[in-house]
Amino acid sequence: SVTSYLRNDPGVAEWMRLQVRDDVLAREVAERLIARGFPEARLEEDWLFGWEVDGAGFSIDVDADMGTVTLSGFVPSAVDEERAIRIARLTPGVRSVRSELTRD
């Protein structure tokens, strides 16, 4: 007999249920960053993958992989970093947020 101790990760199951593609999720997070936290920024598609949110004194790259969003680049302050993380976390389809943001 075989006993299975495998469990499903509920976060992955939820992400699969939502069927959010990485490119769509990255764009949604980037658009929400502009709409809810950095209105003076502009949105640009990254030449390799993901999206960039660029403004005066900051640049945030947004990438997604199976619901995990990575924010990288630079922001002026810790307050701006926390705002970006919070906005990303509240985006439907995001399982987790990883910050690689630095402050200028």
Side-chain angles (χ1 to χ4, degrees), residues 11-21 91-95:
V12 172
E14 177 66 12
W15 179 82
M16 292 298 287
R17 185 185 69 74
L18 292 172
Q19 298 179 4
V20 178
R21 289 190 348 236
T91 303
V94 172
R95 291 181 51 223

Side-chain angles (χ1 to χ4, degrees), residues 82-101:
E82 287 301 317
R83 181 182 326 137
I85 293 168
R86 184 177 63 253
I87 291 167
R89 277 191 184 132
L90 294 174
T91 303
V94 172
R95 291 181 51 223
S96 64
V97 177
R98 193 172 115 204
S99 177
E100 297 177 357
L101 293 169

Side-chain angles (χ1 to χ4, degrees), residues 36-50:
R36 298 180 180 183
F38 303 91
E40 70 281 2
R42 66 184 183 284
L43 179 65
E44 294 181 13
E45 188 169 11
D46 190 9
W47 66 274
L48 187 56
F49 55 87

Side-chain angles (χ1 to χ4, degrees), residues 1-3 8 22 28 30 33 36 38-39 43 45-46 49 58 60 62 66 82 90 98:
S1 80
V2 175
T3 302
N8 287 334
D22 292 337
E28 179 67 22
L33 286 171
R36 298 180 180 183
F38 303 91
L43 179 65
E45 188 169 11
D46 190 9
F49 55 87
F58 68 90
I60 303 171
V62 181
M66 291 188 64
E82 287 301 317
L90 294 174
R98 193 172 115 204

